[in-house]
Amino acid sequence: MPSKINRRSFLSSLAALPVARMFGAALALTAPQSVFEDATATSGIHFKHEASCTSQKYLPESMGAGVAMFDYDNDGWLDLFFVNGARLEDPMPRGASPDKSDPRYWNRLYRNNRDGTFTDMTEKAGLQGRLYGMGVASGDYNNDGKIDLLVTNLGGNILYHNNGDGTFTDVTDKSGVSGSGWCTGACFVDYDRDGWLDLIVTRYVQWDFSLDVFCGEHRPGYR
C-alpha cells in the first residue's frame, strides 16, 4: 500500500525544494569548466594559407586547404602539416600552371617540440610541394611503421613516403596514384580488410584556367 504523508511532512518537503535548487545551481557554477586557450603566438606556428587572390577570382581562390595531425617522427607526439596554395598570374596565360617556388606558398610541416611549441621542418623533410594544394591524408600505406602523406591538388595527387629519418620521398609515379583533374579530399582505409591501407580520393568539378566561366558584369567590382 502507498505510504501516508501528513500535513507537516508535506509542507516540510515543499520548503526544501528551493534550497535544493539553490545548492544545485551553486554546484553547477563552481564545477570546473572545459576551456581552450589560443596558444598560436607562443607555439611557433606561423603558417598562413595563401590563395593568391586575383582580379579574375578563379574558382580555386575561394577554397581553403587541409591540415593533418600525425606523428611523423614516431616520438609519441603529434606533429602538424598544413597544405598551401600557389602563385597565380592575373590573368593566367594559356598553358601556365600555378607556381609554388616562393616559400610563402609552400606546404608546411611543424615538428612537435613536446613543450607546447613547434619547429618548422618543411625544407629538411622535403614537403614544400609543387602544385596548388587542396587536402591531405595520412597513413602507413606500406606497413613499415612510419606514417606517410598523400596531398591532393589542383592537377593531381602527390604521395610522400616517410623515410624514417625526418625526410620524405615523392613516390607518386612509382605508386600509380597521381590521378588527374581537381583532386580534393582523400582517405586511407583498409576497405577489403587485407591488412593494407587502400586509398580513396575525391575530385571536384571539371575545371582548369582555360575553362573558367566569368560570372557577373565585365567591369571592376561586379564579379
Side-chain angles (χ1 to χ4, degrees):
M1 294 179 62
S3 60
K4 293 183 178 180
I5 182 170
N6 57 36
R7 181 171 178 272
R8 178 176 296 177
S9 298
F10 177 70
L11 292 175
S12 296
S13 64
L14 288 179
L17 285 176
V19 178
R21 290 196 183 98
M22 180 181 69
F23 277 107
L27 288 172
L29 290 174
T30 58
Q33 301 293 315
S34 298
V35 297
F36 289 86
E37 178 182 347
D38 186 346
T40 309
T42 58
S43 68
I45 299 172
H46 306 294
F47 175 81
K48 178 185 176 184
H49 180 258
E50 296 286 353
S52 189
C53 297
T54 70
S55 65
Q56 307 300 312
K57 297 186 178 180
Y58 292 119
L59 194 54
E61 298 174 28
S62 65
M63 306 296 178
V67 180
M69 300 181 70
F70 73 119
D71 183 9
Y72 89 96
D73 52 2
N74 280 349
D75 64 354
W77 294 75
L78 289 176
D79 310 293
L80 295 172
F81 179 79
F82 295 86
V83 181
N84 209 349
R87 189 179 72 83
L88 305 178
E89 297 186 48
D90 190 8
M92 287 288 286
R94 182 175 295 276
S97 299
D99 181 7
K100 210 175 180 74
S101 59
D102 188 326
R104 67 181 289 198
Y105 297 108
W106 288 358
N107 303 329
R108 292 286 172 177
L109 173 69
Y110 288 91
R111 185 189 65 205
N112 193 327
N113 298 325
R114 314 181 198 181
D115 60 0
T117 66
F118 292 78
T119 299
D120 188 336
M121 304 299 291
T122 307
E123 197 164 11
K124 179 181 178 181
L127 290 175
Q128 299 95 318
R130 52 182 170 80
L131 296 169
Y132 197 110
M134 286 285 131
V136 59
S138 60
D140 181 10
Y141 77 89
N142 59 344
N143 284 351
D144 65 354
K146 300 179 288 292
I147 306 299
D148 312 293
L149 285 178
L150 186 283
V151 180
T152 60
N153 307 271
L154 175 63
N157 307 303
I158 301 176
L159 178 62
Y160 293 102
H161 171 255
N162 189 333
N163 299 320
D165 59 359
T167 68
F168 289 75
T169 299
D170 183 342
V171 295
T172 310
D173 293 337
K174 178 181 178 181
S175 65
V177 298
S178 59
S180 61
W182 193 338
C183 299
T184 52
C187 177
F188 283 106
V189 57
D190 182 10
Y191 89 97
D192 54 2
R193 299 186 179 183
D194 65 352
W196 293 80
L197 288 179
D198 309 296
L199 178 64
I200 298 174
V201 177
T202 59
R203 297 193 295 180
Y204 196 35
V205 297
Q206 182 179 349
W207 185 94
D208 62 37
F209 293 100
S210 66
L211 296 175
D212 187 58
V213 178
F214 194 97
C215 299
E217 297 184 36
H218 285 263
R219 53 177 172 150
Y222 281 82
R223 187 181 184 191

